[in-house]
Amino acid sequence: MADKRAVLIVVDGMGDRPLIDHDYKTPLEYANTPNMDRLAKGGLVGLLDPISPGVRPGSDVANLALFGYDPAKYYTGRGPLEALGAGIDLGPNDIAFRVNFATVDDDFRVEDRRAGRIRKGASKLAKSVSEIKVESVPGIRTIFKPTVDHRAVLVLRGEKLSKNVTDTDPLEEGLKLVISRATDGSEEAKRTSAAVNEFVKRSHEALREHPLNQERANDGEKPANIILTRGAGTRPSLPSFKSMFDLRGACISGTALVKGIASAASIDVIDVRGATGSIKTDYEAKAKAVIEGAKDKNFVVVHVKAPDIAGHDADFKGKVRALEEVDTLVGHVIDEVDIGANYVALTSDHATPVGYGFHTGDPVPVVIGGPDVPASRVLKLSEASASRGNLGRIRGLDLMPILTDLMGRSRLYGS
Ligand code: ZN
Ligand code: ZN
């Protein structure tokens, strides 16, 4: 039997809720998505609860589940996944944090948690931040790396550190910067929180007078004058994707998080020029990489971020546009991968409804097209049509077993 292949397209934040102002339609219902609809019509269609019904998932735990790893067992924090994705070789004692460049006023009140989603010059700011040394806590080295837009990672390396410390990011605008504290009273956690607090304070000193921020002020933009930390964690220990599913995996994503999950699972990360993980992504380049990547791998995950960003920005039109662009990627993939012999699956890691601007606990549509799957005859892929589909309602963790079974690679349970 020929080696069957599969492509899994993860559309970040695709799910949504009907909007009164838009004829009670969701962005997916509103968008013109002929290729997703074609995939849905001839394939299995259903709803997927990323974790379980009603649970509002972060992208970290949701994507772990979609890759087949139970977050209850393997999740050790967002920071280390982002750091792995940024190409930092994390040691077992390192503590990694997810970082945002942000805007604070003179009283350290957070005006913008993303410094206007800064797009240009973040690497220059990061250079200044990476030169900061922690002096109040001996024996600690720091590694600081920018990832995408306003995002970066911080790693503390040294003896006697702990992940049991609180975030400095208040997570809400208008609130003050939070002082990091030890959550377990241990010496290690106290050292770590002291190092974090010093680093954040010094980031403000380094960034406040930075020439790029002067420029931003002149252009009427918000200064990126501090970093905010969150998601402390240690390196996760994941069994390889090959040992879990007997598949040679590749992953294409513009985001550090998804690249980090792939690299923790020993899945090859294919870097694509123009696949930036921001709103401006080159989908043509991404489609080509999927098709190229599928040649010597039998499982390719392609993750697209843009719909989630539009969801967080409460941008209905932007989300419709992002979904329509993803649809062209889906079209290329279906045409090139030979869906008569191979599988193409599409789902999302969670809903990010534009009416809310944050992740909700709603189930999301899931579609699987390929040989010998019963046709749903669903004409238009949407949240509502998926609830009437022929796959029923599954969890994120169920997707990989279903796909490997269709591909003829599952192991017999029992005897
Ligand atoms: Zn997400
Ligand atoms: Zn999100």
Side-chain angles (χ1 to χ4, degrees):
M1 190 168 62
D3 199 11
K4 284 190 178 131
R5 291 176 284 139
V7 176
L8 167 61
I9 302 168
V10 180
V11 188
D12 207 313
M14 175 171 73
D16 216 298
R17 293 182 181 178
L19 287 129
I20 301 171
D21 297 351
H22 297 278
D23 288 340
Y24 293 93
K25 284 183 176 169
T26 68
L28 185 59
E29 282 172 313
Y30 210 87
N32 180 29
T33 55
N35 297 302
M36 293 188 203
D37 301 344
R38 169 158 66 114
L39 188 65
K41 190 177 174 190
L44 285 162
V45 174
L47 285 176
L48 177 146
D49 288 294
I51 304 297
S52 64
V55 174
R56 295 202 300 122
S59 289
D60 44 12
V61 290
N63 279 289
L64 268 173
L66 292 178
F67 276 79
Y69 294 89
D70 185 353
K73 201 166 160 189
Y74 297 111
Y75 181 62
T76 58
R78 172 81 173 236
L81 296 170
E82 297 265 343
L84 287 169
I88 297 172
D89 189 14
L90 277 186
N93 301 320
D94 292 351
I95 309 296
F97 301 81
R98 182 186 187 199
V99 168
N100 273 10
F101 285 103
T103 309
V104 288
D105 68 12
D106 294 341
D107 292 327
F108 290 93
R109 208 166 288 285
V110 177
E111 283 179 3
D112 188 331
R113 289 184 55 245
R114 304 180 179 93
R117 286 195 185 277
I118 180 167
R119 297 243 154 82
K120 272 197 319 227
S123 61
K124 281 185 197 150
L125 299 173
K127 191 169 178 299
S128 297
V129 176
S130 66
E131 285 160 6
I132 295 170
K133 294 204 172 22
V134 170
E135 285 165 8
S136 62
V137 189
I140 295 182
R141 256 190 67 205
T142 56
I143 303 162
F144 185 85
K145 238 179 148 174
T147 57
V148 179
D149 295 345
H150 56 278
R151 304 176 188 92
V153 289
L154 169 67
V155 173
L156 300 184
R157 180 167 287 174
E159 295 294 299
K160 290 204 254 163
L161 293 171
S162 166
K163 67 179 173 62
N164 297 330
V165 296
T166 56
D167 302 340
T168 56
D169 187 341
L171 301 177
E172 215 176 290
E173 277 146 19
L175 298 182
K176 271 191 149 181
L177 169 78
V178 184
I179 305 295
S180 174
R181 293 190 201 287
T183 56
D184 63 2
S186 69
E187 175 70 12
E188 286 81 359
K190 282 180 192 160
R191 272 169 55 86
T192 309
S193 58
V196 169
N197 290 328
E198 183 187 337
F199 195 90
V200 170
K201 183 169 155 269
R202 287 186 186 272
S203 79
H204 184 55
E205 290 159 10
L207 295 172
R208 200 171 36 191
E209 310 294 336
H210 196 285
L212 191 99
N213 276 328
Q214 308 287 356
E215 254 174 63
R216 286 177 70 81
N218 293 341
D219 295 345
E221 288 174 314
K222 289 178 182 159
N225 59 8
I226 199 160
I227 62 144
L228 301 174
T229 58
R230 60 193 158 123
T234 51
R235 186 186 174 109
S237 153
L238 269 51
S240 74
F241 193 68
K242 178 103 181 52
S243 71
M244 295 269 287
F245 302 110
D246 185 28
L247 290 167
R248 299 184 307 280
C251 174
I252 298 157
S253 170
T255 68
L257 168 67
V258 174
K259 287 196 228 179
I261 293 173
S263 92
S266 307
I267 292 170
D268 281 5
V269 174
I270 303 176
D271 271 315
V272 182
R273 265 174 67 107
T276 56
S278 104
I279 285 279
K280 285 193 195 123
T281 282
D282 183 347
Y283 287 101
E284 192 73 44
K286 233 169 180 171
K288 276 195 189 123
V290 174
I291 293 144
E292 275 302 306
K295 283 195 178 133
D296 64 328
K297 303 289 179 190
N298 49 14
F299 197 87
V300 182
V301 184
V302 53
H303 165 260
V304 288
K305 176 75 178 161
D308 181 57
I309 298 175
H312 284 290
D313 288 347
D315 178 1
F316 182 87
K317 278 192 186 144
K319 189 158 179 185
V320 169
R321 200 180 323 118
L323 291 169
E324 290 181 346
E325 284 172 3
V326 172
D327 191 70
T328 61
L329 169 83
V330 174
H332 288 299
V333 171
I334 298 175
D335 290 343
E336 297 292 333
V337 165
D338 183 8
I339 200 150
N342 302 300
Y343 295 91
V344 175
L346 179 139
T347 190
S348 179
D349 54 348
H350 51 77
T352 315
V354 292
Y356 295 75
F358 53 77
H359 303 180
T360 57
D362 304 334
V364 294
V366 54
V367 191
I368 304 172
D372 303 328
V373 301
S376 72
R377 302 190 206 288
V378 159
L379 297 180
K380 164 87 183 128
L381 182 67
S382 73
E383 294 80 355
S385 68
S387 74
R388 301 187 294 271
N390 56 351
L391 180 62
R393 187 158 171 169
I394 63 171
R395 296 171 311 156
L397 264 184
D398 299 327
L399 184 61
M400 279 308 302
I402 292 171
L403 280 172
T404 40
D405 186 46
L406 285 169
M407 293 169 82
R409 302 187 86 89
S410 57
R411 294 182 200 120
L412 187 68
Y413 178 52
S415 66

